[in-house]
Amino acid sequence: MAEAIDITRDAHGDIDAEAILSALASATFVIDPEMTIQYANGAAELLFQSSAPSMIGTRLATLLPPNGAMSAFVGQAIAGGAPMSAHGIVLDTPRTGIRSLTVNIAPVPDRPGWHVLSMQEQSRAIRIGQQLEHRNAARSITAMASLLAHEVKNPLSGIR
């Protein structure tokens, strides 16, 4: 019988945080107080179509639109100093295209000013649900317009 391998422990028996972060499906960054990327996992490489070594050492602002919702959210979370989450933040860059993300950011407890930022693309099910809501709203408006047209027509025919 094969022995199970524990990927969460390194050769010294310590927890291997990098192995855990690299296994996540969420694009995950660690940023320092100057907003410089210190770590990027494989999902971040896929999202931004860039290798982790090329992203490490660059400022987060080089990846995000300067006046976008993502930049504003990250700035607000860092200023607040507490963990924050937001759903439906749109990221629109030439590298990523238009994507709707759930974004989480939290301070690193033992490193003041450092933060972990994760971005998870919203699932297709959520997007389909939003499309259905819009479609149902359009149908409701059409039905209401039809009802109002009928109500306007009836009183006029009674006047004749």
Side-chain angles (χ1 to χ4, degrees):
M1 182 175 206
E3 188 175 309
I5 299 173
D6 185 1
I7 65 162
T8 61
R9 304 262 177 208
D10 64 11
H12 303 290
D14 296 327
I15 293 176
D16 187 2
E18 187 168 348
I20 294 169
L21 289 173
S22 64
L24 294 175
S26 299
T28 305
F29 296 96
V30 175
I31 53 176
D32 66 14
E34 288 80 38
M35 302 274 291
T36 302
I37 298 169
Q38 297 297 324
Y39 173 82
N41 70 352
E45 291 178 320
L46 291 174
L47 178 63
F48 288 97
Q49 298 179 1
S50 184
S51 69
S54 69
M55 290 188 281
I56 293 172
T58 63
R59 294 184 55 86
L60 186 63
T62 61
L63 297 178
L64 305 179
N67 297 325
M70 179 77 75
S71 296
F73 174 74
V74 170
Q76 179 183 7
I78 289 173
M84 289 181 67
S85 295
H87 305 283
I89 290 187
V90 176
L91 177 65
D92 184 8
T93 69
R95 287 185 178 183
T96 63
I98 300 172
R99 296 183 186 241
S100 181
L101 305 169
T102 296
V103 182
N104 299 297
I105 187 166
V108 177
D110 60 344
R111 292 209 172 185
W114 288 58
H115 290 79
V116 176
L117 171 67
S118 71
M119 302 172 208
Q120 176 71 43
E121 189 166 10
Q122 289 186 335
S123 72
R124 294 190 200 298
I126 291 173
R127 284 185 272 164
I128 289 170
Q130 289 171 342
Q131 288 174 349
L132 289 174
E133 286 176 15
H134 292 301
R135 187 178 303 148
N136 289 340
R139 286 181 182 160
S140 295
I141 290 171
T142 302
M144 192 161 116
S146 172
L147 177 70
L148 289 174
H150 176 73
E151 293 298 323
V152 168
K153 181 182 172 186
N154 276 348
L156 293 178
S157 64
I159 292 174
R160 283 192 229 169

